Amino acid sequence: MEQYTLTILPQGLKIRAFEDQSVLNALRDAGLRAEAPCGGAGTCGKCIILVDGREMLSCQTLVDGDMTVTLPGGERA
């Protein structure tokens, strides 16, 4: 399974993520706080992030390469 680098802004952190892992789980595995009251079902819309400049739900976005992820309000663990 491939590993990729997610660059987390605004902190500039670099974390590792596995191919086909959700961005939400990658963030949580790295110890970053990621809100998802629906448990990752994609129904609440609380986990909105920017991925390479596009607004997406972190629970529904799968890692498929190196990505730049901007967290709302600079959230951090």
Side-chain angles (χ1 to χ4, degrees):
M1 186 171 279
E2 292 286 325
Q3 274 195 352
Y4 295 104
T5 300
L6 304 185
T7 302
I8 310 302
L9 300 177
Q11 298 90 346
L13 298 172
K14 295 196 183 287
I15 65 171
R16 288 295 205 187
F18 291 102
E19 182 177 30
D20 293 329
Q21 178 181 28
S22 72
V23 173
L24 175 67
N25 286 336
L27 293 170
R28 287 180 171 172
D29 288 350
L32 294 167
R33 188 182 77 211
E35 188 176 354
C38 68
T43 57
C44 71
K46 301 274 184 186
C47 66
I48 292 176
I49 55 171
L50 292 178
V51 177
D52 298 327
R54 294 178 315 210
E55 196 171 89
M56 305 181 96
L57 296 176
S58 66
C59 69
Q60 300 296 304
T61 303
L62 300 180
V63 175
D64 61 0
D66 295 337
M67 299 176 165
T68 300
V69 177
T70 304
L71 301 178
E75 287 185 11
R76 193 172 174 148

